Amino acid sequence: MRSIKEIFLIGHGPSSSHTMGPSFAVNYILEKYPSPSFIKCILYGSLASTGKGHLTDYVIDLKLKDIPHEIIFDYKSRVRHPNTMEFIITDEKGKNHREPIISIGGGTIITKGKSFNKIKETYPHQSLKDILQYCQNKQISLKEYVLQFEDEDIISYLTDIYDAMEKSVQRGISASGELPGNLHVKRKAKTMYLNMRNSKEGKDNMAMNAAIASFAVAEENAAGGIIVIAPTCGSAGVVPGVISYLKRKNYSKKDIISGLLVAGLIGILCKTNGSISGAEAGCQAEIGVACAMSAALITTVEGYDNQIIAQAAEIALEHSLGLTCDPVDGYVQIPCIERCAIYAVKAISSANLAYILPVNDAKVDFDTIVKTMYQTGRDIPRGYRETSFAGLAKSLNK
């Protein structure tokens, strides 16, 4: 299993799979073929259906600005993975080379069966059950488990992640105007924040503070601003919202960064054994995983044991099952922005419930829910998996 660094990446929104993944794909192509005379890029599946709204063609054009190229949106061909793209590279001798690439979520791409990034295999275990057993045998916490296997720079890495999240909250709360695109959605986080400050009830409502911080980051993502993938761009608001909640409970930056260790572990388990791609498994794979990560973050920071942390993550993901991904007009705006706020609050509720439920009576474990989430996602009709062909996207486009 790979490093948790793969779950927390700093980059531009609005989509880790549709914007950052294709950007990294072009990097791969240009590294492998440094002197192309022409490049054709064919986008399939969800990349074709919602690529315009997710700025897929924009980022590819930007990366290939000095090279003759063509981008084709293939809406009809069926592919095994919905985030498939194919590059046909004509070299300086006129020979064509075909490179199929899959964007699996979180900015990670697969090229001929191999991940193209610098993040390495890190953990010897593949399931939370095995990890919990290992921790019990060693008498260590999940936080200590992550520290045992990650590189020595992991705390420094997560400190940068924390700082980037905080900056995205502040930028989101300060910004106003409309978000890019045809929907003419107005930014609301600033107004929400001012309304809260002017309300006695709002000042004391920590869940409301979490929701506003989440809203702010989700708007930053929709505007193409710099955010932290956690585990994706579309779900990037959830963890920062929960961090805002923990700060209001007077936990330190050091405490919260320690919690991010375990949040990352939950995220990479979901990516390894399930999916974090809305195009592959619906929004349950993005916002549901972010909610599970955030519930684990809270329970870790608040000092609960490994079993309660695992139960909090399980509760959060179990009650996200079946959530569809139907962005209106392909933009990561409706319902994505409000959804981040709702699921930050849901993470808090999941953590609270995990405190009081008897752990030993639980019938469902985290690994089972991850597998169920993936299978449920595969069973969701294609129109509800980041295509904008059905659901809310269809209703509002009538």
Side-chain angles (χ1 to χ4, degrees):
M1 192 164 69
R2 297 164 73 83
S3 168
I4 66 169
K5 292 178 180 179
E6 189 168 281
I7 292 298
F8 297 116
L9 295 172
I10 301 170
H12 284 274
S15 174
S16 52
S17 58
H18 285 56
T19 311
M20 294 181 69
S23 174
F24 296 154
V26 176
N27 290 346
Y28 165 79
I29 293 299
L30 295 180
E31 184 175 309
K32 189 170 181 179
Y33 304 96
S35 302
S37 60
F38 188 82
I39 294 177
K40 179 187 290 186
C41 176
I42 307 171
L43 303 172
Y44 300 99
S46 179
L47 289 179
S49 301
T50 61
K52 289 285 185 181
H54 286 68
L55 305 183
T56 306
D57 55 335
Y58 170 79
V59 75
I60 293 173
D61 276 330
L62 190 65
K63 287 279 185 175
L64 295 176
K65 62 184 179 187
D66 297 324
I67 298 168
H69 65 278
E70 178 185 13
I71 301 171
I72 296 174
F73 291 81
D74 185 334
Y75 302 102
K76 296 182 179 180
S77 297
R78 301 305 292 265
V79 286
R80 281 188 68 183
H81 194 287
N83 285 341
T84 298
M85 64 197 103
E86 184 177 30
F87 290 85
I88 302 172
I89 305 97
T90 305
D91 64 23
E92 62 271 26
K93 296 180 181 179
K95 184 178 179 180
N96 287 336
H97 307 267
R98 289 182 173 268
E99 290 281 350
I101 297 176
I102 298 171
S103 177
I104 64 170
T108 302
I109 60 171
I110 301 294
T111 60
K112 296 183 178 178
K114 297 180 180 179
S115 293
F116 177 72
N117 58 30
K118 297 178 181 179
I119 296 175
K120 63 182 182 179
E121 293 293 327
T122 300
Y123 298 96
H125 305 101
Q126 298 286 322
S127 70
L128 187 55
K129 179 181 177 181
D130 289 345
I131 292 170
L132 289 170
Q133 186 61 58
Y134 178 88
C135 290
Q136 183 176 327
N137 293 342
K138 296 285 187 179
Q139 292 294 294
I140 61 173
S141 66
L142 286 170
K143 175 180 67 177
E144 291 168 326
Y145 171 83
V146 176
L147 288 171
Q148 180 176 329
F149 291 104
E150 288 285 347
D151 289 339
E152 292 181 359
D153 71 339
I154 190 62
I155 295 298
S156 173
Y157 183 90
L158 290 178
T159 299
D160 291 340
I161 291 298
Y162 177 99
D163 291 341
M165 286 182 174
E166 289 291 277
K167 289 175 182 176
S168 65
V169 171
Q170 294 306 314
R171 285 196 307 272
I173 287 174
S174 302
S176 56
E178 281 190 359
L179 294 171
N182 300 325
L183 298 179
H184 303 291
V185 173
K186 292 183 178 179
R187 298 181 73 139
K188 303 178 183 70
K190 183 177 182 178
T191 301
M192 293 165 68
Y193 178 70
L194 293 174
N195 287 344
M196 180 197 68
R197 287 188 62 184
N198 294 328
S199 164
K200 183 181 184 302
E201 293 78 11
K203 287 181 181 178
D204 298 331
N205 190 325
M206 289 189 286
M208 187 184 294
N209 279 271
I212 293 169
S214 292
F215 218 98
V217 175
E219 288 184 340
E220 273 296 286
N221 175 66
I226 296 175
I227 48 85
V228 175
I229 295 172
T232 65
C233 287
S235 61
V238 183
V239 173
V242 166
I243 287 175
S244 177
Y245 165 79
L246 290 168
K247 285 173 62 181
R248 287 188 68 84
K249 294 190 78 173
N250 295 318
Y251 287 104
S252 69
K253 180 176 180 178
K254 181 179 179 181
D255 292 334
I256 295 169
I257 289 170
S258 293
L260 288 173
L261 292 165
V262 182
L265 180 65
I266 293 299
I268 200 65
L269 281 164
C270 291
K271 188 170 185 177
T272 300
N273 300 313
S275 175
I276 60 167
S277 168
E280 185 178 30
C283 197
Q284 54 167 5
E286 296 197 31
I287 205 83
V289 172
C291 189
M293 290 169 59
S294 298
L297 169 61
I298 295 168
T299 43
T300 300
V301 171
E302 298 199 336
Y304 287 85
D305 65 31
N306 293 349
Q307 295 297 330
I308 290 179
I309 294 168
Q311 180 160 267
E314 186 279 324
I315 290 169
L317 188 57
E318 179 180 347
H319 301 291
S320 304
L321 291 179
L323 196 62
T324 58
C325 183
D326 47 357
V328 176
D329 214 19
Y331 293 102
V332 191
Q333 297 177 16
I334 304 173
C336 319
I337 295 170
E338 284 186 10
R339 190 167 285 173
C340 279
I342 291 293
Y343 276 76
V345 176
K346 189 170 183 175
I348 296 169
S349 299
S350 299
N352 288 336
L353 190 57
Y355 304 156
I356 57 177
L357 277 174
V359 174
N360 294 334
D361 291 346
K363 301 294 185 184
V364 183
D365 64 18
F366 179 77
D367 297 315
T368 299
I369 283 302
V370 173
K371 292 176 183 176
T372 304
M373 177 268 287
Y374 182 68
Q375 187 57 56
T376 301
R378 300 297 292 169
D379 291 340
I380 291 173
R382 179 171 173 262
Y384 294 90
R385 287 187 274 136
E386 208 166 2
T387 63
S388 294
F389 291 161
L392 188 61
K394 184 177 180 180
S395 299
L396 288 190
N397 278 336
K398 285 184 177 180

